[in-house]
Amino acid sequence: QVRLVESGGGSVQAGGSLRLSCVASGSTFSINAMGWYRQAPGKQREPVAIISSSGDEKYANSVNGRFTVSRNNAKNTVYKPMNSLKQGDKAVYYCNEEANIDWNDVDFWGKGTLVTVSS
């Protein structure tokens, strides 16, 4: 069973930095991509930063240049340093793994970690 565990969330002042980590375990499938989504209060979950199995990175326009994503395959870990945080970045951040299972793309999710940004 796939398990994703996030860490690194917390409270920071605007302009500050945090680094989120996600450790994956139990995956025996072919992984298409891993990354991070976020959900702010009253809003839908949205993709933030994705890294494919080949290392291609994609970012939401709102975080481009401030957030990065990387992975350590040996540790089954995905990292997301976040710099120049804004109040609009306040959300629950979820780690995501998209796997290919029997020719279907299946999403797995962590439980989320809260990021709060104060003025």
Side-chain angles (χ1 to χ4, degrees):
Q1 184 175 353
V2 175
R3 185 165 180 249
L4 304 174
V5 179
E6 303 100 335
S7 62
S11 182
V12 65
Q13 286 191 324
S17 301
L18 287 172
R19 188 178 82 154
L20 303 184
S21 300
C22 172
V23 180
S25 61
S27 181
T28 60
F29 313 113
S30 173
I31 297 173
N32 295 335
M34 292 189 70
W36 296 89
Y37 288 63
R38 69 184 180 187
Q39 188 167 17
K43 295 187 177 180
Q44 290 189 331
R45 191 174 298 188
E46 60 176 1
V48 177
I50 308 295
I51 184 165
S52 72
S53 58
S54 60
D56 294 330
E57 301 168 25
K58 292 184 179 180
Y59 298 94
N61 289 337
S62 59
V63 307
N64 207 6
R66 300 188 297 121
F67 293 7
T68 57
V69 62
S70 62
R71 61 194 296 175
N72 183 324
N73 292 329
K75 295 184 178 181
N76 294 323
T77 302
V78 176
Y79 304 99
K80 188 164 72 73
M82 306 184 294
N83 298 316
S84 303
L85 282 161
K86 305 175 181 179
Q87 287 186 282
D89 296 319
K90 175 184 177 180
V92 177
Y93 285 74
Y94 295 91
C95 181
N96 168 267
E97 177 182 290
E98 183 188 275
N100 185 282
I101 303 175
D102 296 332
W103 305 104
N104 295 309
D105 292 335
V106 179
D107 285 309
F108 296 96
W109 298 95
K111 293 183 178 181
T113 184
L114 177 64
V115 171
T116 302
V117 184
S118 58
S119 59

